[in-house]
Amino acid sequence: MLRFLQNSPHALELVYAGTSKMLVPFRRVMKRGSRMERLFIHLEKWTKGATFDCRMCGQCVLHSTGMTCPMTCPKELRNGPCGGVRANGYCEVLPDRPCVWSQAWERSRKMPLYGQEILHVLAPVDRRLKDTSAWVNHLHPELLKPPAGWES
Amino acid sequence: MRSGSHLEEVLRGGRFAVTAELNPPDSADPESVYERARMIAPVCDAINATDASGAHVHMSSVGVCALLTRAGFDPVMQVSCRDRNRIAIQGDLLGAAAMGVRNVLCLTGDGVQAGDQPQAKPVFDLDSMTLLRTASILRDKGEFLSGRKLEVPPRLFLGAAENPFAPPYDFRPHRLKKKVDAGADFIQTQYCYDVARLREFMAKVRELGVDQKVFILVGVGPLRTAKAAEWMRANVPGVSIPDEIIDRMKRGGKGEGKRLCVEIIQQIREIQGVAGVHIMAYRQEELVPEIVEEAGLLVRDAMKVHP
Ligand code: SF4
């Protein structure tokens, strides 16, 4: 069942698009540090944990990475695979696991909505957001701003 | 000219460039760096100083580069994201530039599991892509990543790596383009032992128009023996060696690795969009001059440094 879901990136991207729209009305109640946030952290951990093995980086980019969590890459790469991917498509660091980025690329090819996002360079991870809710942060764009020098 | 480095001059001048890798010593003696540099410098345009490649610690790339610039060589400083966070890396880039380093190769880095100290903490705060962009922000905007202004920005020729020989093969040309978008001026690839695969890759790169925006140097290197080749293929991250090559090494006698390397260089040279070769002769530096000469690539204008 899980495998099936993970390999249906198009369905997942629809859910992703839906979730980001659905959250908007809750902007006022979903604040950083609120009880609501704590609830959402649990919800997010539970649902995205089960589906994506989500690592709760707090700045979700699943739509840019073929609906495959890039933080499960042992090098936490968010901009594409390293040069070490094995000939069989498995990971350099964890030889008995498929490379996250091989999967991400294949899945992105089946995503009419966001599939091209994988071609854009993403900003460095904000390490402060670890273990916060990406859903809550998503509603407060000021929390997700890249470092000042990055923006041009 | 972004940096005024010798390598940049050669590439912009349109001459087929030769760079070579210096294996950093397990030593605190500058002479061990110079000994190796003297061997390869007369035949190449720039010398790469690796940054604990394969997660094995050696003399640091900043240290090696500082020694090389002092002696008038043009180094390519390799910077990996494995061991340092963004704060340390930005400081090292300024320090290196102040020491006369003009070329920087931005890498993700091999995982710590590949080395002899797998207990170490892997950092990977930045990745090769964000590192490239960070370095170009230092250079072009004269700012740190935080937006804080620099007094004098570094002049750098920025490089990145690509591995056309590792999956996902059809993503690789796009990833190369991404690196150019992030700020790469030149590319050095992983070892090429599969020229057919390289041709495919380059065809796609040309289709994307990326060969017009970046100088691509293809990695090559002499194999020592068939056994060494098999070992490399199994143990060095990202190295792919087809069975035919291993068979040829088994059949061929002494000197086969060097002959093969020269042949590969000659084939690579014919591919449109390739701007040079990068020779990695791991613990066989003494072969580099012969390879360059036999491939017909002897460098005429000697390397010089721009302080
Ligand atoms: S092989 Fe793939 S999953 Fe493994 S470290 Fe490299 S990019 Fe990450």
Side-chain angles (χ1 to χ4, degrees):
Chain A
M1 169 64 191
L2 202 56
R3 261 291 138 69
F4 173 75
L5 205 60
Q6 284 167 349
N7 288 321
S8 317
H10 182 45
L12 288 175
E13 73 171 343
L14 285 173
V15 175
Y16 183 93
T19 317
S20 25
K21 286 229 179 63
M22 226 166 60
L23 287 169
V24 176
F26 298 99
R27 192 185 141 81
R28 295 255 301 283
V29 285
M30 281 172 72
K31 286 246 167 62
R32 279 291 295 280
S34 63
R35 287 251 289 283
M36 235 2 199
E37 187 195 24
R38 280 207 296 278
L39 179 70
F40 269 88
I41 290 178
H42 284 303
L43 258 174
E44 200 174 328
K45 253 191 196 149
W46 191 65
T47 52
K48 283 165 71 180
T51 325
F52 304 106
D53 191 16
C54 164
R55 303 294 162 90
M56 298 297 285
C57 71
Q59 46 215 298
C60 197
V61 288
L62 279 168
H63 66 302
S64 299
T65 58
M67 302 308 289
T68 305
C69 176
M71 304 311 272
T72 61
C73 158
K75 299 183 186 176
E76 299 191 344
L77 300 181
R78 282 162 89 93
N79 279 300
C82 71
V85 188
R86 290 163 197 266
N88 60 1
Y90 277 56
C91 172
E92 170 204 314
V93 182
L94 305 168
D96 43 8
R97 236 179 56 177
C99 163
V100 172
W101 274 97
S102 287
Q103 295 178 317
W105 172 250
E106 261 154 51
R107 291 172 184 160
S108 78
R109 298 304 84 197
K110 298 180 209 146
M111 288 167 46
L113 234 47
Y114 295 118
Q116 295 304 94
E117 292 292 313
I118 201 166
L119 303 177
H120 300 140
V121 180
L122 297 178
V125 182
D126 183 341
R127 308 285 167 183
R128 293 170 302 179
L129 297 178
K130 174 121 185 72
D131 294 323
T132 64
S133 163
W135 288 338
V136 173
N137 300 339
H138 174 74
L139 293 173
H140 303 279
E142 70 282 3
L143 293 173
L144 295 174
K145 276 212 336 216
W150 183 271
E151 291 173 302
S152 40
Chain B
M1 280 288 180
R2 293 212 149 118
S3 68
S5 77
H6 179 68
L7 179 63
E8 182 177 10
E9 245 170 55
V10 166
L11 287 167
R12 295 209 191 278
R15 173 157 72 65
F16 196 78
V18 179
T19 57
E21 185 172 284
L22 181 144
N23 307 303
D26 296 335
S27 154
D29 181 3
E31 197 37 47
S32 20
V33 171
Y34 290 133
E35 229 168 69
R36 291 164 163 84
R38 274 194 297 269
M39 231 174 317
I40 54 182
V43 297
C44 68
D45 296 306
I47 300 177
N48 276 58
T50 58
D51 182 10
S53 73
H56 282 83
V57 56
H58 306 289
M59 187 189 288
S60 72
S61 59
V62 184
V64 170
C65 286
L67 290 170
L68 291 177
T69 56
R70 270 190 215 174
F73 302 119
D74 189 27
V76 177
M77 182 172 89
Q78 302 195 179
V79 180
S80 127
C81 298
R82 183 195 51 235
D83 309 319
R84 275 159 297 159
N85 71 6
R86 63 192 85 180
I87 297 174
I89 290 178
Q90 291 172 84
D92 277 350
L93 289 175
L94 289 189
M99 293 294 307
V101 175
R102 293 289 171 264
N103 315 296
V104 170
L105 185 72
C106 302
L107 305 168
T108 299
D110 303 317
V112 293
Q113 91 291 341
D116 58 350
Q117 302 190 44
Q119 306 85 348
K121 174 170 181 158
V123 177
F124 298 113
D125 181 28
L126 299 178
D127 58 30
S128 58
M129 215 70 78
T130 48
L131 168 57
L132 268 170
R133 176 69 62 86
T134 301
S136 59
I137 291 169
L138 290 177
R139 178 190 66 193
D140 301 334
K141 295 174 77 182
E143 288 175 6
F144 290 111
L145 202 48
S146 63
R148 188 153 53 84
K149 285 272 177 236
L150 299 173
E151 272 169 48
V152 178
R155 294 182 63 207
L156 298 172
F157 193 44
L158 294 177
E162 186 46 85
N163 188 356
F165 315 102
Y169 302 111
D170 43 348
F171 190 18
R172 296 285 167 187
H174 294 282
R175 180 173 176 265
L176 183 76
K177 179 168 184 302
K178 237 171 132 165
K179 289 200 166 175
V180 175
D181 293 342
D185 303 311
F186 71 97
I187 301 289
Q188 291 177 316
T189 78
Q190 185 52 276
Y191 285 109
C192 171
Y193 292 107
D194 186 346
V195 181
R197 169 85 66 200
L198 179 70
R199 282 202 192 96
E200 263 172 58
F201 172 81
M202 286 303 300
K204 185 72 196 174
V205 166
R206 290 195 301 270
E207 200 184 304
L208 293 171
V210 185
D211 61 317
Q212 302 296 321
K213 296 189 192 145
V214 73
F215 299 104
I216 301 173
L217 285 76
V218 177
V220 294
L223 295 166
R224 208 178 322 211
T225 57
K227 236 186 160 164
E230 275 170 333
W231 186 88
M232 260 172 82
R233 171 160 83 169
N235 295 295
V236 184
V239 176
S240 127
I241 306 175
D243 293 336
E244 302 92 77
I245 297 283
I246 305 234
D247 289 344
R248 180 171 158 183
M249 287 298 296
K250 277 186 188 147
R251 287 194 314 270
K254 204 171 167 291
E256 190 66 5
K258 192 180 78 182
R259 275 194 293 280
L260 183 71
C261 184
V262 170
E263 270 172 44
I264 291 178
I265 295 178
Q266 285 163 340
Q267 292 171 25
I268 287 172
R269 232 188 141 176
E270 301 302 315
I271 303 175
Q272 198 193 330
V274 174
V277 284
H278 174 50
I279 307 175
M280 297 171 276
Y282 183 64
R283 306 221 324 246
Q284 305 185 86
E285 277 118 331
E286 67 285 356
L287 290 182
V288 174
E290 297 168 35
I291 292 172
V292 174
E293 182 168 4
E294 285 167 36
L297 293 175
L298 259 194
V299 181
R300 287 156 299 274
D301 35 347
M303 193 186 305
K304 55 182 184 289
V305 78
H306 297 253

